[in-house]
Amino acid sequence: MRAAGRMLAAIIAGSAIVAACSTTPDPDRASPTVPPDAEVGIAVRIAGGTVTPTNTRTEARVFQLIVLRVDSDTTEELHVHSEPGYTFPVEPRAGQEFRFTVMVPGRVDVELHHAGKTVTTLLIRQ
């Protein structure tokens, strides 16, 4: 009976160790995955000195793909004020796409540098 009791205790202890190891992820090694269809798309039009949209709010999640689709009639720079930040050169043509992710939750402004206008503020959540 003593041997059976010790064996049962060893099995329970071993199971607890295995369970703890398999359910506790290492945050430094975790690589978030977002399904490809979960992107956030933002259409931006720059024409005749007018920018559309301006001063909007867009919700997204940490590590979610954000795609800026830009049609422009002028040269410009898009700045994404995240950590790390992004700068995208805009050319005077249609059909430009700029892709990025944000790794830190919070508010992130996307602005046109030369026009001095905020296109949208991303509200990044966990």
Side-chain angles (χ1 to χ4, degrees):
M1 186 76 158
R2 285 183 175 171
R6 282 185 286 208
M7 183 175 275
L8 180 59
I11 290 171
I12 291 171
S15 296
I17 290 170
V18 169
C21 291
S22 64
T23 59
T24 307
D26 180 355
D28 293 330
R29 292 186 177 192
S31 58
T33 57
V34 176
D37 61 345
E39 73 181 33
V40 172
I42 303 166
V44 179
R45 182 170 168 79
I46 307 165
T50 302
V51 178
T52 307
T54 55
N55 296 318
T56 63
R57 301 281 187 261
T58 305
E59 292 194 19
R61 294 185 320 270
V62 170
F63 296 107
Q64 187 169 22
L65 180 63
I66 299 167
V67 181
L68 301 172
R69 294 179 178 90
V70 181
D71 295 337
S72 180
D73 66 357
T74 188
T75 301
E76 182 59 90
E77 279 186 4
L78 266 168
H79 291 184
V80 179
H81 294 278
S82 60
E83 187 58 45
Y86 301 93
T87 298
F88 300 109
V90 175
E91 298 176 3
R93 65 180 176 87
Q96 300 168 81
E97 284 195 0
F98 306 106
R99 298 169 174 268
F100 63 96
T101 60
V102 177
M103 296 177 262
V104 179
R107 296 171 57 109
V108 173
D109 288 333
V110 177
E111 68 179 17
L112 290 166
H113 178 68
H114 300 299
K117 296 189 180 192
T118 300
V119 173
T120 192
T121 298
L122 300 170
L123 306 173
I124 306 295
R125 310 223 189 283
Q126 285 285 5

